[in-house]
Structures are given as C-alpha cells and as structure tokens.
Amino acid sequence: MGHNRVYNFSAGPAMLPEKVLERAASEMLNYGGTGCSVMEMSHRSKEYDAIIVSVEEKLRRVMGIPDDYSVLFLQGGATMQFSMTAMNLIGKTGCADYAVTGNFSKKAAEEAAKFGRVNIAASSRDKNFSYIPRQTELKPDPNASYFHFCMNNTVYGSKWDYIPETGAPLVCDMSSCILSEPVDVSRFGLIYAGAQKNMGPAGLTVVIVRNDLPFCPPEGTPVLLSYPEMIKSKSMYNTPPTYSIYILGLVLDWIEEIGGLSEMEKINRAKASILYEKLDQSKLFRTGIEKPYRSMMNVTFTTGDEELDKQFVDGAKKEGLISLKGHRAVGGMRASIYNAMPLEGVEKLVAYMDKFEAERQ
Ligand SMILES: *Cc1c(COP(=O)(O)O)cnc(C)c1O
C-alpha cells in the first residue's frame, strides 16, 4: 500500500479500498466538470440525481436485487433500524421473533420490545455466543410478524451458516457481511446494513425491502422512521447522506472490476482461511468460535492471558497493523478483515503472530 498507510483491522468504520480513496481524491475538488465537490452539490441537482440513480442501479446489479424490492439510503446507522423495523412491522400481530446470537441482535431485540412482544426464538447465550442455533432448535411464535436475525456477529466473530425459515418474513441485519459474498435477496423480507463496515463511510444505512411487506407504522410515527414514506420519496424526503452514497458507488465499481460478489467471496475465503489455519495450529493463540460458524469478516482470538494480549496488540501497532483489540464485551483480539483488507494485510498479521509466538517459546 502507498501513502504510508497502515493495515487497519477495525470493526468499523473500516478500511476502504485504496483505489476508491484515490478516485475520490481525484474527484474531490471538481466532480466531472461540475466545478464542485460531490459534498457541495444540491441533492436535488441533476448531477447528484445521476449519482444516486446509478448507485442504486449498481447495488441492484451487484446483489441481484429483484424488482419488487426498494433500495433505501437512510441515516441513523444500523441501530436506528433496530427501532424502525419494529415500529413498521411488529404492529400487525404485536409480536416478532428474535434470534439472539450476539451483541447487536440482543440490542435489536431489546429495542423491539418497546414496540411489541418479542419472542426470543433462539439464543446462543448459553455458550457465550460461540455458535449458531440449528433450524430445528428455533422456536418461532406462530403469530410473529417477522423473524429478525443478525447474519454476521461482528463482536463475537460468528456467522449464520444457513438462512433460517419460519414462514414469517426474514428481517436481517447484514451490517458486517453485506457485499462479502452473494446472497439470495429474494429469501428476505428486509435487509439492512450500516455502511461503515463493507460499503463506505459512516452516515449511510442501506435498507433493501420487499414492497409488499405489511407496513404498519403507528399513528404519529416520525416521517423519517416510516418505510412507506421513505419508499415513496425514494430516500429524498430530506437530504440523504450524499457523499457516503457517492463513495458506495465507487466501492461498487471496485467490486464489479474484481468480478462481482462471487469473486469477492473467493478472496474473502482465502483471507479468512489463512488466519483460521494459523489459529488452529497455534499453541499460543486460539479462537472460541466453533468451526462451522466462524465469521469470514471478524476473526476473534486470544492467548487466554490479558497481559500477553495487550503486548500483542501494542506490538502489532508498531508493525503497522492497527485496531486489533477485541470488543470490550469479549476482550482478546479481533481482526476485522472486510472486503477492503488486502490479502497482504492478513499475511502480515499471520507473520507477526508467528514471530510473536516464536519469541515466547
Ligand atoms: C456495527 C454494527 C451495528 C451498529 O451499527 P451503527 O451504524 O453504529 O448503528 C449493528 N449491527 C451490526 C451487525 C454491526 O456490525
């Protein structure tokens, strides 16, 4: 990498592809002959309209989003979707299913409980969120308006290895795995993701929602929290996060140049497997996540010794490998290796792990 850049293993905001940053830099002062930066453009201008329309087209093409789904560019982070999904969808039956498999799905369930009855249809809390419950273990409520789950557990480093089926529409938090591999969008009622992991800068939240879901925002719902209003206004009720949307467009160009999501998945698998291989053969480092459920994006590990973990994280920083400290709820280390983390970054990390381990034998 150029420009004295470091390999940033942060869980988010995370690295962006260098090519994307270079292109953004080259277009910073004068976008396409307009004489201004995308940041300075009216969101109602024809130049900006061309940008937002093309970003939606690219996202539809890259993810294979069917025509009967809307794409929304919202703000408020994935966290606002914890509320918005429940406000708009729980009402019909007053009840929704939640699978609690980590930090964010737990938060989503807690938030939804403000708007209706939450049925915890599955939980992996009994083993510290180290696994994903099986389809046969799910206990959905027959009246549930939807089934909410978080595909990739950013904090614990686990991932659903299958798409659950309960008969109710699936509502899925894909913040930390969207665009990392192909997904069959038609299996889902609603997908949401904060952009700052795999899509672009913070400030943008993408929602992909099937138009025929039975939306029922209660009377008095703020307009910005109503899916029907946001669908009707095409994310343009007020000023959308214009620059973050533009960067998402550049990220999608980069993914298409690579060859789309199936190629992206191959690269991501290669990166994750060299790291897990190291963890499996190491005498010093280990991961607590059971094999079938290991995340391709967030790899959690520890030496089991807090002091050694700290030495590891501090030493890594000196080698240009930053933000490896685990989430405060878990401790240890976490290497977030999203799309934009180059293979060389993971190789450097593994080489540093080898060195660290050899020095302590
Ligand atoms: C980061 C993250 C969130 C929270 O995102 P915000 O944009 O900070 O609200 C929620 N869910 C998952 C899976 C995440 O990775």
Side-chain angles (χ1 to χ4, degrees):
M1 286 194 303
H3 305 278
N4 286 327
R5 283 169 56 76
V6 293
Y7 292 101
N8 177 5
F9 293 89
S10 168
M15 289 183 84
L16 283 164
E18 208 164 87
K19 275 191 173 170
V20 166
L21 296 175
E22 278 167 353
R23 183 151 157 220
S26 77
E27 295 177 340
M28 177 64 78
L29 293 178
N30 183 347
Y31 174 80
T34 58
C36 60
S37 163
V38 173
M39 268 184 248
E40 302 166 302
M41 272 179 199
S42 163
H43 60 296
R44 311 266 180 215
S45 64
K46 82 173 187 328
E47 290 84 1
Y48 192 75
D49 188 61
I51 292 175
I52 195 168
V53 165
S54 79
V55 175
E56 178 173 339
E57 276 168 11
K58 284 178 214 171
L59 187 65
R60 284 183 180 278
R61 192 161 63 228
V62 167
M63 288 187 71
I65 301 171
D67 288 344
D68 56 334
Y69 285 68
S70 292
V71 173
L72 302 176
F73 299 113
L74 307 181
Q75 306 195 40
T79 306
M80 198 175 85
Q81 293 308 307
F82 298 167
S83 331
M84 198 164 166
T85 47
M87 287 175 90
N88 283 266
L89 294 167
I90 213 169
K92 272 277 170 346
T93 66
C95 165
D97 289 326
Y98 277 75
V100 176
T101 55
N103 176 69
F104 288 114
S105 48
K106 182 168 158 283
K107 284 190 168 156
E110 286 164 2
E111 185 65 12
K114 295 178 183 171
F115 305 100
R117 189 168 63 79
V118 163
N119 171 48
I120 304 300
S123 170
S124 55
R125 203 174 187 168
D126 59 332
K127 289 191 198 163
N128 200 27
F129 302 118
S130 60
Y131 71 103
I132 299 295
R134 301 296 78 204
Q135 170 72 43
T136 50
E137 295 170 323
L138 306 180
K139 295 190 175 62
D141 187 305
N143 288 320
S145 302
Y146 60 90
F147 180 94
H148 180 284
F149 72 114
C150 177
M151 183 85 100
N152 182 74
N153 298 294
T154 323
V155 169
Y156 290 87
S158 64
K159 178 177 182 279
W160 285 69
D161 55 328
Y162 70 100
I163 298 176
E165 266 175 50
T166 67
L170 296 178
V171 172
C172 186
D173 179 354
M174 286 195 195
S175 296
S176 51
C177 60
I178 195 163
L179 301 181
S180 66
E181 61 183 347
V183 285
D184 180 356
V185 175
S186 72
R187 304 269 301 268
F188 297 86
L190 188 148
I191 293 167
Y192 63 89
Q196 69 273 23
K197 280 65 186 264
N198 243 349
M199 302 189 111
L204 165 66
T205 308
V206 171
V207 175
I208 300 162
V209 55
R210 207 173 66 222
N211 295 326
D212 69 354
L213 289 189
F215 303 109
C216 41
E219 188 117 6
T221 298
V223 65
L224 291 178
L225 293 175
S226 158
Y227 290 127
E229 294 282 0
M230 290 299 107
I231 292 170
K232 200 165 72 189
S233 60
K234 295 186 180 300
S235 318
M236 282 281 190
Y237 184 87
N238 69 333
T239 318
T242 51
Y243 195 75
S244 297
I245 294 168
Y246 153 77
I247 297 286
L248 168 58
L250 302 189
V251 168
L252 291 166
D253 287 344
W254 174 78
I255 291 174
E256 290 202 296
E257 267 168 41
I258 285 174
L261 293 186
S262 47
E263 284 306 310
M264 200 76 248
E265 176 181 9
K266 279 185 206 156
I267 297 168
N268 285 329
R269 279 201 188 285
K271 286 188 297 184
S273 67
I274 62 170
L275 195 42
Y276 283 117
E277 250 165 54
K278 168 65 193 165
L279 291 171
D280 285 339
Q281 57 91 59
S282 170
K283 291 195 175 65
L284 183 63
F285 301 102
R286 61 186 149 77
T287 178
I289 303 300
E290 296 174 24
K291 250 185 190 157
Y293 323 118
R294 289 175 173 178
S295 168
M296 203 161 62
M297 296 281 102
N298 310 96
V299 180
T300 52
F301 57 101
T302 178
T303 64
D305 175 332
E306 236 173 88
E307 179 48 37
L308 263 188
D309 285 352
K310 190 177 175 313
Q311 284 175 21
F312 180 84
V313 171
D314 293 346
K317 194 172 172 194
K318 296 198 182 94
E319 311 252 340
L321 309 167
I322 72 158
S323 291
L324 281 160
K325 194 168 182 289
H327 188 275
R328 59 191 181 280
V330 182
M333 279 77 77
R334 171 175 52 179
S336 295
I337 50 174
Y338 298 119
N339 287 353
M341 171 60 67
L343 178 64
E344 308 85 76
V346 181
E347 286 169 348
K348 283 222 159 68
L349 173 60
V350 170
Y352 170 66
M353 290 166 83
D354 286 340
K355 189 175 109 191
F356 187 90
E357 188 165 352
E359 283 168 4
R360 279 156 189 83
Q361 261 165 9

